[in-house]
Amino acid sequence: MRAVGFFLSSFFLFIGGAVQAQSVIPLSEKGGLHAAYVVPTDDFNRVDVQLIVLSGSYDDPEPSGTAHLTEHLAAFSSDTAVLRQPRERDLNASTHNVSTVYTNSGAPSDIEMLLRLSRAVLDTPNLPTGFAESEIDIVQRETLLRERQSPRRWLKRIALQNLYGTLRGRANNTIDDLPKLSLEKAYQFHKQHYAPSNVTVIVSGKIEPDRAAELVSRIFGDTKPSAVPEKPWLDYKPDPALRSVEYVESTRLKHNTVQYAKFVDFEDRSTSIDMQGAFFIAIDILNSRLHNALYFEDERILGVYLDWYFAKNSDLELFIDMQLMPDFSLDAAHNSLKETIDNLLNEPINRDEINQARQKEVVNAQAASRRSATFLSFLQNVAADGFPPISPSVFVELISNTTDQEVIDFANTVLRPSATSVILAKKVE
């Protein structure tokens, strides 16, 4: 599951009123799928089908980028099979670190077609001659554009490579591997990772649960249980004593930058599902304290970006990206960051902080329940790790039931000494 701290300040939008209940109903007649759910709601006059492949860029083989290429091939092949045109419409498909998500949306009357488009994603890609080959060029250009637009991606990749001691899995080799992308590897990735037992389907929107259940059973009923691909990246655990520091120089940077990556192993836990409430509340508090110390109270720091990922096996990653003012040296910034993190809990977390963070999470859930795109992202977040999706209303209940002590214990565990990897990146003309 993922929580993000925004570039300048945390997002906060107040919308009054309670969150409308959205039941998450598991479907038993689902063929060989890992799971299938229906989340009925009258808030939107539409239906969305999210097909979530529980593999993403962290699962890339050599070459990395294969999951992204596979996403393109599977999405356009789905359109070819159902709509008879490989680019019949703008597709909503995306490759994330641990998942690949295909979203088919339309009017409630379109539900059967939307499910058939989703089902076709699991079939071996079949595209017109020359079309599949052209997607390699498109993926290469997309990737290069993203890298140019966000040097943070490159620095984060170096930090992960140093943290885990590998070019594969969590630390990928995206740019160097682009010329090596091949259809053969993509088809192999599809065969291995698009197995039904590695796929979750979520039907949400204005639909009767019985109708959704009948259609899912009919359209996905021919899928068979299959071997679930291994996740070797989940076994990569750095030495807790690791304190890696690397200096780099680049003309790609707008500012001198400190990229900090921290790995936390909740050694006594094998799953993160029961810690979600503590995760979101504690991270909100830590984000606020970090933003105050690193941005609002230090004029030498131009901007701060925070990113958290809490894996399904309770491995947690924290990333901090600091953009520096010209007169703030990299070494001094690094020392200031270490001191800030070491002292972040010198003042114990108090009840008012927890209540404020709890209320903020409730308000964010209220906002998510009223925006269709945010609602889908909300459902997808936890489901991408293979857990049942959590609707905004269920999330509010979860947050309310999380104790203050659980939040305090979680924050203390996150900030204890553990493996870190730091990139000190100097801008050069």
Side-chain angles (χ1 to χ4, degrees):
M1 66 200 70
R2 190 165 178 265
V4 176
F6 294 85
F7 188 71
L8 294 180
S9 62
S10 296
F11 173 76
F12 188 84
L13 177 65
F14 184 81
I15 299 178
V19 177
Q20 180 181 341
Q22 306 102 11
S23 300
V24 176
I25 304 170
L27 304 180
S28 57
E29 301 297 325
K30 54 183 174 56
L33 296 177
H34 170 74
Y37 304 91
V38 58
V39 187
T41 175
D42 290 330
D43 286 339
F44 317 113
N45 187 30
R46 56 184 280 169
V47 171
D48 300 278
V49 179
Q50 295 186 89
L51 184 137
I52 304 173
V53 179
L54 303 177
S55 297
S57 60
Y58 280 176
D59 300 284
D60 264 340
E62 185 177 355
S64 50
T66 299
H68 185 191
L69 176 59
T70 307
E71 170 224 310
H72 278 236
L73 300 178
F76 288 122
S77 179
S78 167
D79 268 15
T80 303
V82 178
L83 303 177
R84 305 305 178 193
Q85 290 290 335
R87 282 203 176 96
E88 180 69 15
R89 65 209 168 106
D90 290 331
L91 297 176
N92 191 346
S94 54
T95 302
H96 307 279
N97 288 339
V98 303
S99 64
T100 308
V101 182
Y102 301 83
T103 304
N104 287 292
S105 305
S109 58
D110 294 333
I111 178 60
E112 183 168 354
M113 182 188 68
L114 302 178
L115 281 165
R116 291 195 180 282
L117 284 164
S118 301
R119 170 64 183 84
V121 168
L122 303 185
D123 295 331
T124 302
N126 183 15
L127 290 160
T129 303
F131 188 99
E133 288 80 358
S134 70
E135 287 306 305
I136 295 178
D137 293 335
I138 292 174
V139 168
Q140 290 172 337
R141 291 198 299 271
E142 278 187 8
T143 304
L144 289 171
L145 177 61
R146 290 171 183 169
E147 291 288 326
R148 291 192 193 102
Q149 291 176 330
S150 178
R152 180 185 299 121
R153 292 172 175 266
W154 166 59
L155 296 178
K156 181 177 178 180
R157 189 160 57 249
I158 298 174
L160 283 172
Q161 289 172 353
N162 294 344
L163 187 65
Y164 293 104
T166 175
L167 298 178
R168 302 298 163 196
R170 280 177 168 167
N172 62 62
N173 213 27
T174 301
I175 297 302
D176 291 343
D177 280 353
L178 282 178
K180 306 173 189 174
L181 287 174
S182 73
L183 296 180
E184 180 184 2
K185 286 286 188 177
Y187 293 138
Q188 183 179 340
F189 187 89
H190 187 282
K191 181 178 180 180
Q192 180 181 0
H193 291 274
Y194 284 59
S197 295
N198 196 43
V199 171
T200 291
V201 169
I202 305 173
V203 182
S204 61
K206 197 167 187 178
I207 185 171
E208 291 296 327
D210 289 346
R211 171 66 170 158
E214 186 272 326
L215 286 171
V216 168
S217 174
R218 173 152 51 92
I219 293 172
F220 287 91
D222 66 333
T223 60
K224 305 296 181 185
S226 52
V228 176
E230 295 181 358
K231 305 284 183 180
W233 58 268
L234 279 173
D235 298 325
Y236 296 162
K237 297 181 187 292
D239 182 346
L242 177 71
R243 301 294 183 272
S244 173
V245 180
E246 181 177 347
Y247 292 82
V248 301
E249 295 184 355
S250 175
T251 59
R252 298 168 56 185
L253 303 173
K254 294 182 179 179
H255 311 281
N256 288 351
T257 302
V258 175
Q259 175 81 50
Y260 172 94
K262 178 179 173 69
F263 176 91
V264 180
D265 183 4
F266 286 79
E267 298 174 353
D268 59 334
R269 304 293 189 110
S270 60
T271 177
S272 59
I273 188 64
D274 58 340
M275 291 189 284
Q276 292 175 62
F279 168 71
F280 282 102
I281 296 174
I283 292 325
D284 187 272
I285 293 169
L286 296 179
N287 276 349
S288 295
R289 289 193 175 195
L290 284 166
H291 272 123
N292 286 339
L294 297 176
Y295 180 71
F296 295 109
E297 297 174 6
D298 194 334
E299 295 181 353
R300 301 169 299 174
I301 297 175
L302 182 63
V304 177
Y305 179 89
L306 305 173
D307 191 9
W308 304 79
Y309 174 62
F310 196 25
K312 64 179 182 180
N313 67 339
S314 304
D315 289 344
L316 184 140
E317 294 170 349
L318 161 64
F319 301 97
I320 302 177
D321 182 291
M322 295 197 319
Q323 307 287 308
L324 309 183
M325 297 292 281
D327 59 345
F328 196 11
S329 76
L330 287 165
D331 287 320
H334 181 204
N335 290 332
S336 176
L337 176 59
K338 289 191 295 184
E339 183 178 354
T340 296
I341 292 173
D342 290 342
N343 297 329
L344 201 62
L345 292 180
N346 281 357
E347 182 180 335
I349 294 174
N350 58 57
R351 179 172 295 178
D352 287 342
E353 275 185 296
I354 295 175
N355 287 341
Q356 183 181 32
R358 197 190 304 273
Q359 178 61 24
K360 191 183 294 186
E361 293 300 328
V362 169
V363 168
N364 287 338
Q366 291 172 344
S369 70
R370 290 164 170 81
R371 290 166 171 78
S372 58
T374 313
F375 182 72
L376 294 179
S377 185
F378 205 103
L379 295 179
Q380 176 199 128
N381 189 12
V382 177
D385 279 317
F387 296 134
I390 295 179
S391 70
S393 61
V394 173
F395 181 77
V396 168
E397 183 179 356
L398 177 73
I399 289 294
S400 300
N401 291 335
T402 301
T403 68
D404 290 4
Q405 192 59 50
E406 287 173 330
V407 174
I408 292 168
D409 290 345
F410 191 97
N412 284 326
T413 300
V414 168
L415 292 183
R416 71 188 180 191
S418 62
T420 60
S421 172
V422 178
I423 305 300
L424 303 179
K426 181 180 180 180
K427 172 191 175 181
V428 296
E429 299 300 334

